[in-house]
Amino acid sequence: MRAFQIAAITGACIVLVGCGSTVRSQVSAFHELDAVKGSTFAMIPYPEQKADLEYRTYAKALASGLTKAGLLETNLSNAKYAVLMNYSIDNGKSEISSVPIIGQTGVASSTTYGQVNRSGSFSATTYNTPTYGIVGATTRSDTVFTRQLTVDIVDANEKDADGKYRRLYLGKVQSRGAGGQIAPVMPYMIEALLQDFPGKSGQTKTVDLTVR
């Protein structure tokens, strides 16, 4: 039997929508937040994001997640916290992975069936039960993209000596996969960030979410 290749689960697959239907995110957060439930917040865009429809979509998803975590969205003048977000995706890098080749490795058993013909001759057919396993390996090349999400939460009512708002929370999410668009995975990256929000400061964790 001709050997055939079996698709390997590579690092590119485990974080890709559609490859195992799971989005894997690496999440880290540093903060000085205590009890946040009932606190008010406002989503504030960076200057270049003010007219960006993509930003508005992601900001709405983040605000919804913060609301589910117990915060209350309001305008900046009434907010305790101001929430800012940034996101990006790189141009992708080629990664080489090993793929096993599965083929016949031997025969597990043989069974022979036969009969005696009228002429006195004997004819028989032997059936072999083959065994399969890894008979070799080949390589494959995949383009893997890195997606980044950063969320800052600052005290909307307190500035430092330089006139900058005091940062209270910094959350970072990284997801890698073969998808060259950030939009399909952004909802899962936001959800991963907000699991057990605000979480333990200084903790880095891996979050796997099933694609819905």
Side-chain angles (χ1 to χ4, degrees):
M1 178 179 292
R2 186 178 68 178
F4 59 92
Q5 295 181 6
I6 185 171
I9 299 177
T10 67
C13 284
I14 58 177
V15 291
L16 167 67
V17 173
C19 184
S21 64
T22 299
V23 177
R24 171 166 291 181
S25 298
Q26 303 295 328
V27 181
S28 62
F30 299 86
H31 67 86
E32 296 177 354
L33 297 175
D34 295 320
V36 296
K37 290 186 177 181
S39 298
T40 54
F41 75 95
M43 296 297 305
I44 304 300
Y46 290 103
E48 64 275 14
Q49 295 173 331
K50 289 183 177 180
D52 191 335
L53 290 176
E54 184 178 15
Y55 163 78
R56 293 178 192 174
T57 299
Y58 302 153
K60 184 177 180 180
L62 178 57
S64 177
L66 290 171
T67 299
K68 291 179 181 178
L71 286 81
L72 303 174
E73 186 176 13
T74 185
N75 53 50
L76 182 59
S77 60
N78 295 319
K80 180 178 180 180
Y81 303 126
V83 181
L84 303 94
M85 67 184 302
N86 214 335
Y87 48 87
S88 64
I89 182 169
D90 67 9
N91 294 322
K93 294 181 180 179
S94 179
E95 294 190 358
I96 306 299
S97 58
S98 178
V99 181
I101 298 175
I102 307 299
Q104 185 173 338
T105 57
V107 176
S109 61
S110 298
T111 304
T112 300
Y113 299 92
Q115 62 181 2
V116 178
N117 301 319
R118 291 182 178 180
S119 62
S121 62
F122 178 77
S123 62
T125 301
T126 299
Y127 297 91
N128 296 319
T129 302
T131 58
Y132 297 95
I134 298 176
V135 297
T138 187
T139 58
R140 58 177 286 176
S141 177
D142 296 284
T143 301
V144 180
F145 298 86
T146 300
R147 288 88 57 141
Q148 304 270 6
L149 168 65
T150 302
V151 173
D152 284 298
I153 298 179
V154 302
D155 189 327
N157 302 297
E158 182 180 343
K159 296 182 180 180
D160 60 21
D162 296 324
K164 296 181 179 180
Y165 288 104
R166 180 188 172 201
R167 176 187 279 172
L168 300 174
Y169 176 93
L170 172 62
K172 295 183 178 181
V173 185
Q174 183 183 94
S175 173
R176 301 176 70 249
Q181 298 292 327
I182 196 172
V185 298
M186 182 60 78
Y188 301 97
M189 295 174 67
I190 292 174
E191 184 177 347
L193 178 67
L194 296 180
Q195 277 195 358
D196 303 319
F197 178 83
K200 183 179 180 181
S201 181
Q203 182 182 54
T204 298
K205 59 184 179 180
T206 299
V207 179
D208 290 331
L209 295 174
T210 301
V211 176
R212 297 180 290 274

